[in-house]
Amino acid sequence: MVYENPDGVRIGLEVHVQLNKLNTKLFCGCSTKYHDSEPNTHVCPVCLGLPGSLPVINEKAVEYAIKIGLALNCSIVEQTQFHRKNYYYPDLPKGFQTTQYDFPIAGEGKIIIEGEDGEHVVGITRAHMEEDPGRLQHMGSIDKSKGTLINYNRSGMTLIEIVSEPDMRSPKEARRYLDKLRSILDYLDVFDGDLEGAMRVDANVSVHWGDRVEVKNISSFKGAERALLYEIMRQKNHIRRGGEITMETRHFDEARGVTISMRTKEEEHDYRYFPEPDLVPLRVADRVPKVRETLPELPDAKRERFMEQYGLGETHARALTTEIKVANFFEEVAEKVDPKDAAVWVSDILKGELNYRELSIDAFTVEDIVAVVELVTGNKVTEQSGVEIIRTVLDDGGKPQDIVEKKGLLKVEDDIVATAVEEAIAENPEAVADYLGGKEKSLNFIVGKVMQKTKGRADAREAREKVLAKLKE
Amino acid sequence: MITKEEVEHVGWLARIEIDAKESDAYAEKLNSVLGYFGQLDEVDTEGVEPTYHVADIVNVFRKDEVTGSMPQEEVLANTEHKQEGNFKAPKIM
Ligand SMILES: [Zn+2]
């Protein structure tokens, strides 16, 4: 099956990734741990742009940038340098942003996603390093604002801007691309994606192979999908009514789920880039082999290995390798129990319960899930009880063995079930007659009685089978 | 040649107000500066690597170690416009 792309949709994404796992900012020794701090407490003369201050590049930031480039299959440039991108906006106190221009640290690359019609390659145009601007906060609503408050704690944080080709053909593919990118970055351990502002997305969208519209201010992956769905619909409607789509920048209003034209002056894009005289050029080519050695096994390779090594199907292997933490967790469990059971219990059941509670895998221990799997596969508790144990651990705490005891979840012996079946049949002759007379529902009634007698510890399916067998005698 | 309009445009980009009288004068001055660059352009640079930086060094780095920041009062010391630890600017769209 080939995806036809009926509306000729093309989506490209620019993702700003904040390398918040570095200890310091890109050009100064200010700490990056500002997220819970008072405004303007993580700034110095460099990130404040005071006269006479001199930026010096964070070596580790360069290493991380190379690492990201390599993980995205990019070519790494021989030599690069920083430029000044000049604009006046108070989010940067210097009057320019220090960024890379003609020699981005990473050139063309690609990411493979699960597309509309199977594996789909999304080209990476470039990835470059730049500094994050400060944070502006409008006082009151945007139209009645009395002023703007500026906090420079974020100013000077290392950003990697990853620019894709317009290779995505639907909002769903854009979402998949973002998820995959996040997954790769998690594997690289270069950022904490849960911190506010860790990943920011701008999109460009066109339909029917027309001019592209840029959509800014997308703050989440879910938001990206919504913004794109809205923008595609808007462009299609506009064309249907005889309108024409021209290049423009629009702003995504997350609360209302719409994009709004910004009507910016074209002049604002005149950034007059020039080489940053305060920073010397960077020769990165010689560093690449050493950084390459530090690359971990990435999601695609891990997925393949899981299928081969543990005999998992693609769906399980994919689900288990999206998050590095889950993958590592699974491998520990798979050492102790049958890997296929481990896959079912970690991927299908535990992850479902965690997602429902918006918890990460850290909320559960390997030891506990191993105990649950052993209880179920050892026929000590039913599958339903296994799920109940997981829920109890998550909601009330405790160890699986204690929960089994406290809740009386041990599966009852076969002969107890058999006795309960015999009693249930003997005590309810009317229901038996009804069932034999063709009333299917009466069977449920009898099974219900069996469950009552065993206080719910019998396996419902087994009880049903036993009742049926008995009635056929 | 730099025109009066270009001077005004550059002024706008730099957020500097330049009135009509000044823009004529600036255009003239900038054109004479550009004239010097015209002279530089006459030098044959065939086969010469472009210079991005005057010092012939590369890779000046800093270790990823925290060296500290300024106290908030000091950060805000140069402005009268502040509120709750923030710089305060006029309304920005
Ligand atoms: Zn600083």
Side-chain angles (χ1 to χ4, degrees):
Chain A
M1 184 196 74
V2 173
Y3 180 60
E4 301 279 356
N5 195 4
D7 297 314
V9 170
R10 284 187 302 179
I11 300 167
L13 296 172
E14 283 173 22
V15 182
H16 286 90
V17 180
Q18 194 191 55
L19 303 187
N20 52 27
K21 279 210 174 162
L22 291 166
N23 294 321
T24 64
K25 294 184 178 181
L26 182 50
F27 300 121
C28 64
C30 284
S31 163
T32 55
K33 309 285 177 292
Y34 64 84
H35 289 83
D36 297 318
S37 307
E38 288 292 305
N40 296 305
T41 51
H42 287 56
V43 294
C44 72
V46 173
C47 48
L48 208 49
L50 294 184
S53 60
L54 200 62
V56 186
I57 301 167
N58 182 343
E59 187 166 21
K60 192 128 203 160
V62 176
E63 203 179 287
Y64 279 9
I66 297 171
K67 205 168 166 182
I68 292 170
L70 290 174
L72 303 181
N73 310 291
C74 295
S75 52
I76 304 297
V77 74
E78 287 266 320
Q79 182 161 322
T80 178
Q81 64 186 334
F82 284 94
H83 271 70
R84 290 186 180 185
K85 176 182 180 179
N86 298 281
Y87 68 89
Y88 278 101
Y89 199 65
D91 60 356
L92 275 169
K94 302 184 290 185
F96 60 87
Q97 182 187 30
T98 309
T99 181
Q100 291 180 326
Y101 182 53
D102 46 3
F103 294 103
I105 191 157
E108 281 175 33
K110 64 172 187 214
I111 289 184
I112 297 166
I113 62 164
E114 246 189 302
E116 295 281 356
D117 47 6
E119 273 197 357
H120 183 70
V121 178
V122 177
I124 303 291
T125 316
R126 58 184 276 164
H128 70 255
M129 307 176 73
E130 64 186 26
E131 62 180 332
D132 206 349
R135 203 183 146 87
L136 304 183
Q137 192 196 331
H138 304 284
M139 298 164 70
S141 63
I142 193 152
D143 42 341
K144 286 187 197 130
S145 170
K146 289 187 184 69
T148 305
L149 300 179
I150 312 163
N151 174 2
Y152 289 118
N153 282 346
R154 199 178 71 183
S155 178
M157 289 288 287
T158 306
L159 290 184
I160 303 290
E161 181 178 333
I162 300 164
V163 183
S164 88
E165 293 289 311
D167 288 342
M168 286 149 277
R169 303 162 295 176
S170 66
K172 189 170 103 188
E173 286 192 344
R175 176 68 192 264
R176 292 264 167 85
Y177 169 84
L178 291 170
D179 285 340
K180 188 65 176 278
L181 183 58
R182 162 89 194 248
S183 168
I184 292 169
L185 294 167
D186 274 339
Y187 270 61
L188 297 178
D189 200 25
V190 292
F191 92 131
D192 176 353
D194 292 332
L195 282 181
E196 198 249 321
M199 263 177 117
R200 282 162 268 155
V201 184
D202 294 336
N204 55 70
V205 203
S206 62
V207 300
H208 300 299
W209 322 107
D211 271 354
R212 65 197 179 98
V213 169
E214 204 176 339
V215 183
K216 289 193 175 279
N217 192 44
I218 300 170
S219 59
S220 68
F221 289 5
K222 221 187 258 171
E225 210 174 350
R226 277 176 63 218
L228 289 166
L229 281 167
Y230 174 85
E231 180 56 23
I232 289 166
M233 185 192 71
R234 188 194 67 83
Q235 291 187 21
K236 277 162 62 182
N237 285 342
H238 190 67
I239 291 169
R240 195 178 311 129
R241 290 193 210 102
E244 210 180 307
I245 301 294
T246 48
M247 278 230 242
E248 65 166 334
T249 301
R250 300 177 71 87
H251 185 96
F252 180 55
D253 182 334
E254 183 121 35
R256 291 196 287 149
V258 299
T259 65
I260 303 152
S261 181
M262 306 235 284
R263 283 185 291 268
T264 47
K265 289 195 190 118
E266 220 154 278
E267 290 165 314
E268 278 181 355
H269 296 295
D270 191 348
Y271 292 127
R272 297 150 295 141
Y273 286 92
F274 66 85
E276 165 61 88
D278 286 345
L279 292 167
V280 300
L282 283 166
R283 261 206 73 75
V284 286
D286 342 332
R287 293 170 177 259
V288 174
K290 226 176 132 196
V291 176
R292 198 185 290 277
E293 278 172 30
T294 70
L295 274 189
E297 180 184 42
L298 291 168
D300 290 343
K302 204 181 278 288
R303 189 180 70 238
E304 296 289 321
R305 178 168 68 77
F306 275 22
M307 290 169 72
E308 201 161 297
Q309 183 178 342
Y310 300 115
L312 304 185
E314 202 189 328
T315 312
H316 273 150
R318 195 179 287 280
L320 289 167
T321 51
T322 303
E323 274 179 77
I324 180 75
K325 281 199 269 183
V326 174
N328 292 340
F329 184 95
F330 165 77
E331 290 209 271
E332 281 185 57
V333 178
E335 264 176 36
K336 307 248 171 55
V337 300
D338 184 313
K340 285 185 183 154
D341 291 326
V344 170
W345 281 88
V346 175
S347 161
D348 298 346
I349 300 167
L350 179 57
K351 265 187 74 185
E353 297 297 331
L354 291 168
N355 287 346
Y356 177 72
R357 290 165 179 76
E358 292 184 349
L359 291 169
S360 84
I361 195 83
D362 300 332
F364 216 84
T365 66
V366 170
E367 192 193 334
D368 286 353
I369 193 74
V370 166
V372 171
V373 176
E374 281 174 345
L375 283 165
V376 174
T377 53
N379 222 14
K380 297 275 193 339
V381 303
T382 62
E383 265 184 48
Q384 296 100 295
S385 298
V387 176
E388 194 182 334
I389 296 167
I390 292 175
R391 289 179 179 158
T392 311
V393 171
L394 287 172
D395 296 335
D396 310 323
K399 296 309 263 179
Q401 284 295 356
D402 301 336
I403 294 166
V404 168
E405 251 172 67
K406 210 157 78 195
K407 297 203 161 191
L409 295 175
L410 268 194
K411 211 158 145 184
V412 289
E413 302 296 330
D414 273 2
D415 49 346
I416 298 180
V417 181
T419 312
V421 168
E422 272 173 35
E423 284 177 14
I425 288 174
E427 290 164 12
N428 299 285
E430 265 176 53
V432 172
D434 283 350
Y435 173 73
L436 294 173
K439 266 173 100 179
E440 286 283 332
K441 273 190 182 163
S442 300
L443 181 65
N444 294 340
F445 177 80
I446 302 167
V447 174
K449 288 290 169 197
V450 175
M451 298 305 287
Q452 241 174 40
K453 284 175 185 294
T454 58
K455 300 197 178 73
R457 286 178 293 158
D459 186 293
R461 198 170 23 147
E462 266 176 46
R464 188 182 176 86
E465 275 162 18
K466 285 205 163 81
V467 171
L468 271 174
K470 196 81 194 162
L471 290 173
K472 281 202 185 111
E473 274 176 12
Chain B
M1 279 291 282
I2 289 204
T3 64
K4 205 178 138 193
E5 286 70 34
E6 280 168 318
V7 170
E8 278 160 18
H9 173 60
V10 171
W12 184 84
L13 287 172
R15 302 293 185 274
I16 297 169
E17 201 177 334
I18 298 172
D19 65 35
K21 218 164 50 200
E22 287 172 314
S23 59
D24 272 331
Y26 283 130
E28 203 184 308
K29 282 181 187 161
L30 281 170
N31 277 320
S32 87
V33 173
L34 270 184
Y36 290 120
F37 283 93
Q39 279 182 33
L40 287 174
D41 253 353
E42 286 163 19
V43 181
D44 181 12
T45 56
E46 190 66 34
V48 178
E49 283 264 317
T51 303
Y52 286 109
H53 205 274
V54 285
D56 192 20
I57 43 171
V58 295
N59 293 5
V60 176
F61 290 125
R62 169 176 70 74
K63 289 258 171 278
D64 186 26
E65 283 160 9
V66 175
T67 52
S69 307
M70 289 153 70
Q72 195 191 57
E73 312 81 68
E74 231 171 276
V75 172
L76 298 169
N78 284 333
T79 182
E80 283 172 25
H81 309 286
K82 50 192 148 188
Q83 187 172 323
E84 289 149 14
N86 293 285
F87 289 86
K88 194 174 156 190
K91 157 182 170 175
I92 296 156
M93 288 311 287

